[in-house]
Amino acid sequence: MLLSLLFLFLFSSMGITAQETYTLSGSITDAKNGEELPGASVWIKELETGGTTNAYGFYSITVPQGSYTLSISYVGYTTQEQRIEFTDNRELHIELIPESTSLQEVVISSKKKDLNVTSTQMSANTLNMQEIAKVPVLFGEKDVLKTIQLLPGIKANEVGSGFFVRGGSAGQNLILLDEAPVYNASHMLGLFSVFNSDAIKDLTLYKGHIPANYGGRASSVMDVQMNNGNNKGFSASGGIGTIASRLTIEAPIVKDKGSFMLSGRRTYLDLFLKLSNDEDTRNTSLYFYDFNAKANYKIGANDRIYLSGYFGRDQFGFSDEFGFDWGNTTATLRWNHLFNDKLFSNTTVLYSDYNYRVEIGGDEGQNNGFSIESAIEDFSLKQDYKYYWNNSNTVQFGWNATRHHFVPGEIRSEANANVNDLLLQKKYAWEAGVYLSDEQEITDNLRANFGLRYSWFAQTGPGAIFTYDAEGDIASTTTYDSGEFVKTYGGFEPRVGLTYLLSEASSIKASYNRNRQYLHLISNSTSGTPIDLWIPSSNNVKPQLSDQYALGYYRNFKNNTFETSVEVYYKGMQNQIDYRTGAELIFNENVESQLLFGKGWSYGAEFYFKKNLGRFTGWLSYTWSKTERKFDGIDTGNPYPASWDRTHDLSLVGMYQLSPKWSLSATFAYRTGNAVTFPVGKYEVDDEVVNLYDTRNANRFPAYHRLDLGATRSIKKTKKWEMSTTFSLYNAYGRKNAYQINFKEAENDPNRTEAVKLSLFSFFPAVSWNFKFN
Amino acid sequence: MKTTRALLRTGLLLCVLFVSCEEVIELDLDTQEPQLVIAGFISDGQGPYTVRISRSVAFYDTNNFPVEEHANVRITSDEGITEVLTQTSPGVYQTAHLRGQRGVAYTLDVALDGTSYSATSRIPAESIALDSIQVGYKKASIFQEAGYYAIAYFKDPPDVANYYRLQVLVNGEEYVFRDDEETDDDGTRDTNFWLLRDKFTDGNVQDYEFPHRLAPGDTLHVRLQQVDRITFDYYRTLVDVLSGGGIAPANPITNWDPEVLGYFGALSETETTVVVPEEQ
């Protein structure tokens, strides 16, 4: 039914265009470094029509014969106008000149100035790097993942790798770096993200109405793109910060044809540890590093190859006795091909790996150490097409296939270790998807985006596959051969988005989308640790399913200086995962028997007010929401709030250009405390006083709030050199936010018990020095 | 175990580095009406075996737990031997003659205020004795401060899942762990739930390292309990609660039907005592 509706819409506009038309296509790039500008706008003034560039800076529009004025614009760049005569199909490559930064017009916005109002996309947030650089953060390390948490609908804890989008759990976010999935996007237990801002071009987070070309997670998609590298000349940038240093170099391979970018970052906390008086501390290593690399090359006018990769690792260790390290590796090979001026194709080969390793050294000379390892590895092939059919229809279609390998856990021991070797059975799966979507202008005021995705998943052998009884004990065992299907799942994922323009500066949008998720994140912490486990759907674990409905009103004021929006949403989630009491999740061959399945739902309203231009810029975001879950095995089937449920969540971000040299910034965040379970009494067994618990998550942590301040001094030394120094103060008024509350024996009276709050980071100042050489 | 402690240490180190801070706070906590707690054990060791019946109190009350003095308490073996327990002090019920036998299942029946509660547990069939306790000096490392530490050795039977709990007394008392000798912190009392299973070490000689830092001349008393899986899971979930409860704290599992707090466990145990030698 939905499919036929989709095709009806798709083909309804065929044959309307009787007039002679031509195609205008090409690319829009940065004149200074050749970097493509995704989301830049080409506008034909006389026709009041136009288009925007795709992720590779390519655009294509259809124009009737005639002579027109083109206006090409992108936020942060000088708008260009160009007179053009159409008597034939035209290719037009446009280079935009960045607005001089000394003008000090801080620009924060979606890229095309009124895209937030006019596009059919809703529930999406984009951050650009200029924006991120100004926002003060912990340790002064600018971080896309930390900054995006200040936007409506996105929540996270102070510590922990995960984030929560519109009531979804931390394992329901698809995090892509140059299209490759990143399975654990954090360093140092979540204090930093794996995204080194110097290597990142752009980030978009889809909270709802997820485009059909994405699939695999129930809640959101975070699409991060790396810089391509300067193809005009050599440039370098970097910085020295309180706890980390960064260096990025970019240069052409062949001028205007190809370029590369290399970027590295490393923390040096461990170097300070070496200065400690305490031998234990001195022998401790604790650091992380990231390495990003990307190269691209144009082969002729219609083909371009990109190769990019990421490698990052956290290292923790204590001399030879103990080592713990974890990290991601991703690689992306892409081939852009223009079949003609209307059909753009991208072929991608992907690799992604996440693993951790623990090493126990054992006693000196005793050969009794052992190591523990766990990993997930993906190989993937993707084909995407974008067809610029006519000015009313842009069609996207494609497919992808992924092979997943899971290594749940392996223990390898030395000869004399009293621990035996243990290799938990590896798991294997196929995941695939095919999609079709159309972005359509139905009337001048009504636009629509229809998308349909079909996803498919197969758990495959080799291996012994178990079923479990109600108690979680093995009920039966079946052995499968290599490649043999154990269980397959599949289903449609429709997406619909409608935009109705009320005026030039205001619109109403509505959307619906369904997502299926075949991989599940198993974690016994609130917000993520390096040892969290990804497991595939199986004969025992069904795919997660989410349905989201959203409605929004968008209004810009004063020629897009102010952006405002209100969105309401409802999200229903099925086959959600929670854990049995006392569940053993790590190193358990039967981890599936430890799971409980239920459903969840979330609804809320998000308010967003943003000032894009002027000396004072910034935004205010407020979310009211409710997220509940319902499991037969928990609280006798009564709904309970998810731990990440927060009624109120407010962020205020302000940036002020004080003088050409100085800019100031401040952020304030307030949110309802996490839902937690406090004791409802205590009792005694075995001479121990034991806390008594009742309803899940019936209590709340105290409200969380924090003010961060920042100041940046920029100096443009010469035409080629730019420098800036950023000072930041995290938690300026030293609020002691609860990280943990422990209920234990009173310090000074063993006959009583008390609640003890543990908090981290009461103010933390930091300074970083950054440079740029062009 | 080592790994867990090293991970904890990682966390601790991170916390210390990033200036953590602890303070006592007053919370407005809900209070559940007093809940019934029945806790008892039977072993293959010498009786009497004790069953305690009490009730829970509010979190901010003092640790005075009301007892139930009018219960009818009885232990029955699956071989048909029965003994009614007598109340020796308020809320404390004890056996007089019963002697636990390995391989036999025991059922504890409690009748109280017109309701009958019942729980069953089986003493493991095979006795596993501690082979030895060795005390040695260890250098400072991430796992411990420098000092004398004890390792308990015993042989785990192969090809069968075994579950153990060890208990330690130092000079006849429960040990107190002090995180840092220099602070005047009162330390944490040993809750004495040293749990061990042979999942990763099946059939090997088990070497359980205790974190208790000993001094020459100290007397160390170690008791090895062998339990079945369900009792082990009870211990495990009890330890979870005692150590903070994690993200979704819930009461430990129980074998009481109908469900009440506490547990009735049957276990096999052996004991050994060693004295830390004086320095040469």
Side-chain angles (χ1 to χ4, degrees), chain A residues 184-205:
Chain A
N184 190 329
S186 78
H187 284 303
M188 288 199 20
L189 313 176
L191 294 177
F192 304 93
S193 81
V194 298
F195 304 115
N196 172 1
S197 317
D198 286 355
I200 302 301
K201 175 155 144 182
D202 165 285
L203 173 151
T204 304
L205 186 97

Side-chain angles (χ1 to χ4, degrees), chain A residues 479-500:
Chain A
T479 306
Y480 289 84
D481 293 336
S482 177
E484 196 179 344
F485 288 176
V486 176
K487 181 79 189 171
T488 60
Y489 293 100
F492 285 103
E493 303 176 26
R495 291 117 202 252
V496 186
L498 292 171
T499 298
Y500 186 77

Side-chain angles (χ1 to χ4, degrees), chain A residues 270-281:
Chain A
D270 52 323
L271 304 180
F272 293 118
L273 299 181
K274 296 267 180 292
L275 304 173
S276 166
N277 291 326
D278 179 31
E279 199 190 329
D280 281 13
T281 312

Side-chain angles (χ1 to χ4, degrees), chain A residues 139 188-189 191 269 273 280 284 286 316 318 321-322 324 358 360 363-364 370 372 411 418-420 422 473 524-526 581-584 587-588 677-694 696-697 699 736 741 743-745 747 750-762 764, chain B residues 2-3 6-7 9-10 13-15 17-25 27 29-32 35 37 39 41 54 56-65 138-143 165 185-186 189 191 193 197 199-202 204-207 229 234 236-238 240-242 244 247-252 261-262:
Chain A
F139 306 122
M188 288 199 20
L189 313 176
L191 294 177
L269 255 174
L273 299 181
D280 281 13
T284 303
L286 174 68
F316 172 71
F318 184 83
E321 295 171 45
F322 176 77
F324 181 24
V358 178
I360 307 293
D363 299 308
E364 225 172 300
F370 62 95
I372 301 169
I411 298 178
N418 91 325
V419 170
N420 301 331
L422 178 79
D473 294 321
N524 54 4
S525 76
T526 16
T581 299
E584 294 180 283
F587 267 88
N588 188 348
T677 314
F678 287 156
V680 291
K682 58 187 174 184
Y683 61 97
E684 191 179 35
V685 287
D686 247 13
D687 295 328
E688 295 297 331
V689 175
V690 185
N691 291 327
L692 173 67
Y693 293 101
D694 188 26
R696 168 92 55 114
N697 293 347
N699 308 93
K736 288 173 182 163
I741 295 175
F743 296 87
K744 56 186 196 186
E745 189 176 287
E747 192 86 16
N751 209 27
R752 286 190 168 276
T753 44
E754 65 190 11
V756 179
K757 177 179 79 173
L758 176 72
S759 49
L760 309 171
F761 315 116
S762 67
F764 198 101
Chain B
K2 267 190 158 185
T3 322
L7 289 178
R9 179 100 190 220
T10 315
L13 196 83
L14 280 171
C15 291
L17 279 170
F18 303 138
V19 205
S20 63
C21 149
E22 272 195 349
E23 67 182 344
V24 175
I25 52 169
L27 289 167
L29 298 175
D30 302 329
T31 297
Q32 212 176 34
Q35 299 289 301
V37 185
F41 278 93
S54 61
S56 67
V57 298
F59 181 79
Y60 281 117
D61 288 352
T62 53
N63 294 343
N64 295 322
F65 302 95
K138 289 211 153 197
K139 286 189 295 184
S141 82
I142 190 170
F143 304 115
R165 171 200 182 182
D185 150 30
D186 288 345
R189 196 171 43 81
T191 54
F193 285 97
R197 63 202 291 183
K199 185 172 174 182
F200 305 115
T201 55
D202 182 44
N204 300 347
V205 171
Q206 309 292 306
D207 53 351
R229 196 193 85 183
Y234 164 70
R236 203 166 53 76
T237 50
L238 177 63
D240 280 350
V241 175
L242 289 174
I247 51 163
N251 296 327
L261 296 165

Side-chain angles (χ1 to χ4, degrees), chain A residues 586-608:
Chain A
I586 301 299
F587 267 88
N588 188 348
E589 184 101 63
N590 301 305
V591 68
E592 291 176 359
S593 72
Q594 306 290 300
L595 309 181
L596 296 173
F597 303 98
K599 55 187 179 182
W601 54 87
S602 176
Y603 49 87
E606 300 170 352
F607 300 86
Y608 189 46

Side-chain angles (χ1 to χ4, degrees), chain A residues 304-449:
Chain A
R304 192 168 182 180
I305 302 274
Y306 299 79
L307 179 64
S308 59
Y310 166 83
F311 183 77
R313 220 147 176 91
D314 283 67
Q315 293 275 359
F316 172 71
F318 184 83
S319 52
D320 294 334
E321 295 171 45
F322 176 77
F324 181 24
D325 62 276
W326 64 92
N328 296 281
T329 306
T330 72
T332 309
L333 174 65
R334 284 187 280 199
W335 169 41
N336 281 182
H337 177 67
L338 265 181
F339 283 94
N340 53 51
D341 52 17
K342 283 174 178 286
L343 184 59
F344 181 92
S345 136
N346 180 43
T347 311
T348 312
V349 182
L350 295 170
Y351 172 79
S352 176
D353 171 80
Y354 174 77
N355 67 64
Y356 72 81
R357 194 177 153 86
V358 178
E359 271 183 86
I360 307 293
D363 299 308
E364 225 172 300
Q366 294 287 302
N367 252 357
N368 60 358
F370 62 95
S371 70
I372 301 169
E373 255 184 277
S374 171
I376 173 169
E377 192 181 43
D378 278 9
F379 296 90
S380 195
L381 180 64
K382 253 178 91 187
Q383 178 62 54
D384 300 290
Y385 298 97
K386 192 161 188 175
Y387 182 59
Y388 297 85
W389 190 353
N390 52 42
N391 278 350
S392 304
N393 288 283
T394 306
V395 180
Q396 284 182 269
F397 54 100
W399 56 267
N400 66 69
T402 301
R403 179 70 171 157
H404 299 289
H405 282 198
F406 304 84
V407 182
E410 296 191 344
I411 298 178
R412 288 172 206 279
S413 54
E414 291 175 0
N416 300 330
N418 91 325
V419 170
N420 301 331
D421 280 0
L422 178 79
L423 309 179
L424 293 188
Q425 198 166 270
K426 289 183 182 160
K427 295 177 181 175
Y428 305 90
W430 283 105
E431 186 173 356
V434 48
Y435 71 91
L436 173 67
S437 72
D438 182 27
E439 172 93 25
Q440 194 180 34
E441 241 181 89
I442 299 170
T443 70
D444 278 352
N445 292 328
L446 183 62
R447 292 168 192 185
N449 187 303

Side-chain angles (χ1 to χ4, degrees), chain A residues 203-241:
Chain A
L203 173 151
T204 304
L205 186 97
Y206 299 95
K207 301 179 287 190
H209 190 219
I210 295 168
N213 54 314
Y214 299 107
R217 297 291 182 280
S219 188
S220 81
V221 175
M222 186 165 110
D223 191 353
V224 182
Q225 292 196 40
M226 286 191 229
N227 277 323
N228 287 332
N230 192 332
N231 70 11
K232 301 281 183 189
F234 176 82
S235 67
S237 62
I240 297 170

